[in-house]
Amino acid sequence: MPKKRKDKFRGQRDVPANHGHDNGPVKAKKHLGQHFLKDEKIAQQIAETLSLKGYDKVLEIGPGTGVLTKYLLQRGIDLVAMDLDADSIVYLNHSFTLEHPNVFNKNGKLKVIEADFLQFDLTKLYGEEPFAITGNFPYNISSQIVFKVLELRHAIPEFSGMFQKEVAKRICEKEGSKTYGILSVLVQAFYEAEYLFTVHPEVFDPPPKVQSGVLRLVRKKDFSLACDERLFFRVVKMAFNQRRKTIRNSLKPLELSTELKEDAIFDQRPEQLSVAQFLELTKRIENDAI
């Protein structure tokens, strides 16, 4: 994000419950990690996290009962709602459109797909066109969703949605924190990450045992790395997989030159290094003459 956007989410950290959505015939299934949002106000706020600048196509993961879906459609976008739950697919294809005909007033288009996001080839949907992703994500696969977004970063200028609070915080965390880790560094190498607000369990059906948090990622203007990308991912993962060790010890398998390992950066632990320092470290490892 070139400039920090001033908007209604800035500084907002707490959202009170505002019940009022009937989840209808679709029941949450434990094996799918479903917790249906029933708070209209929060659904609207999540829909508004996307700027829609430079794209008009959005993929919603895990639409469930369509509480977020309808607010997305009111923004006049080309929306694909993807879910693994057959009951949800039937509801969205039939009852949802009958119950909420007004959501299509602004020329919003809805396509409903029964599929597993982690396995689905998104080029079949969008080709080379840019699109954003949002949703109330199943917490058991939320980190995997982010890793797939990183793989598709060339096509995804924006990403937002609901996570378990600890995961959302971790993604947005800066160096020096105990929760700063692999996801923090890899995401922030390509995106500006911002934690927007906290959501309490009672606004879900059934209520999860944890608090939730909404975040937004906006891709950097220049999101190419000045080092080998595969090596960068490898260095970051190796460093944090042994986070209590110094960089010197955790990167031993790379067989670096004694001269390079004498640098003071190798005395640090991974959580002490900023994203920029990890990129610089990767560049130096790449150029290390062994």
Side-chain angles (χ1 to χ4, degrees):
M1 216 184 320
K3 283 186 182 175
K4 282 281 185 187
R5 286 221 315 261
K6 287 186 179 177
D7 58 26
K8 68 190 79 177
F9 304 109
R10 181 80 53 220
Q12 183 176 349
R13 288 292 176 271
D14 228 19
V15 179
N18 173 31
H19 304 282
H21 180 71
D22 179 9
N23 287 325
V26 186
K27 301 300 175 195
K29 297 170 183 63
K30 195 172 182 181
H31 73 279
L32 293 177
Q34 290 175 327
H35 297 277
F36 293 144
L37 181 64
K38 56 184 183 180
D39 189 305
E40 299 284 335
K41 186 180 174 188
I42 294 172
Q44 187 171 10
Q45 287 178 323
I46 296 172
E48 289 171 357
T49 57
L50 298 175
S51 73
L52 306 182
K53 289 177 182 171
Y55 66 90
D56 62 357
K57 292 176 168 52
V58 177
L59 172 65
E60 182 190 357
I61 300 171
T65 59
V67 63
L68 173 59
T69 312
K70 64 175 180 281
Y71 289 106
L72 289 166
L73 285 168
Q74 283 171 14
R75 300 197 67 191
I77 57 170
D78 188 340
L79 181 67
V80 172
M82 185 178 288
D83 209 306
L84 258 178
D85 183 1
D87 291 346
S88 178
I89 297 299
V90 170
Y91 172 75
L92 290 170
N93 271 325
H94 301 288
S95 306
F96 173 80
T97 51
L98 297 173
E99 289 169 16
H100 307 287
N102 59 317
V103 301
F104 298 96
N105 289 350
K106 294 185 180 174
N107 300 318
K109 295 178 192 168
L110 175 63
K111 182 176 184 178
V112 182
I113 296 178
E114 185 176 352
D116 179 351
F117 169 75
L118 297 177
Q119 306 298 326
F120 193 82
D121 179 5
L122 290 171
T123 57
K124 290 178 180 175
L125 274 182
Y126 299 112
E128 294 300 310
E129 288 190 81
F131 62 97
I133 292 178
T134 193
N136 174 22
F137 305 122
Y139 295 160
N140 53 351
I141 61 162
S142 60
S143 293
Q144 293 163 272
I145 289 171
V146 175
F147 279 117
K148 183 162 179 178
V149 168
L150 291 178
E151 287 173 25
L152 299 167
R153 59 189 176 272
H154 62 281
I156 303 173
E158 284 189 326
F159 171 92
S160 71
M162 182 114 64
F163 288 79
Q164 184 175 328
K165 182 181 177 181
E166 283 73 17
V167 177
K169 285 275 193 186
R170 187 182 310 140
I171 290 168
C172 302
E173 195 60 85
K174 298 297 181 190
E175 70 275 10
S177 163
K178 286 181 179 177
T179 56
Y180 177 72
I182 293 171
L183 265 181
S184 324
V185 176
L186 297 183
V187 167
Q188 292 174 44
F190 306 103
Y191 290 87
E192 298 290 348
E194 185 179 11
Y195 185 90
L196 298 176
F197 55 88
T198 298
V199 183
H200 298 298
E202 63 267 22
V203 302
F204 295 93
D205 180 24
K209 291 179 177 151
V210 294
Q211 288 195 321
S212 305
V214 175
L215 62 72
R216 171 171 56 210
L217 308 181
V218 179
R219 194 177 59 199
K220 294 178 176 180
K221 274 192 170 176
D222 180 8
F223 61 97
S224 59
L225 302 185
C227 63
D228 181 276
E229 286 179 7
R230 288 180 68 179
L231 182 59
F232 172 66
F233 274 66
R234 191 178 170 205
V235 166
V236 172
K237 287 177 180 178
M238 285 178 79
F240 280 105
N241 281 338
Q242 301 186 67
R243 64 183 301 141
R244 292 183 180 180
K245 294 187 177 181
T246 63
I247 297 292
R248 184 179 292 108
N249 286 326
S250 59
L251 297 188
K252 259 184 184 171
L254 295 179
E255 298 180 355
L256 305 173
S257 68
T258 307
E259 186 183 12
L260 179 59
K261 285 190 290 186
E262 282 173 0
D263 191 286
I265 198 169
F266 284 86
D267 295 326
Q268 309 243 55
R269 287 187 170 82
E271 69 267 17
Q272 296 174 288
L273 270 58
S274 67
V275 175
Q277 285 175 305
F278 267 110
L279 290 166
E280 180 61 29
L281 175 64
T282 305
K283 200 190 298 184
R284 292 179 62 190
I285 291 171
E286 200 178 336
N287 296 329
D288 186 39
I290 299 172

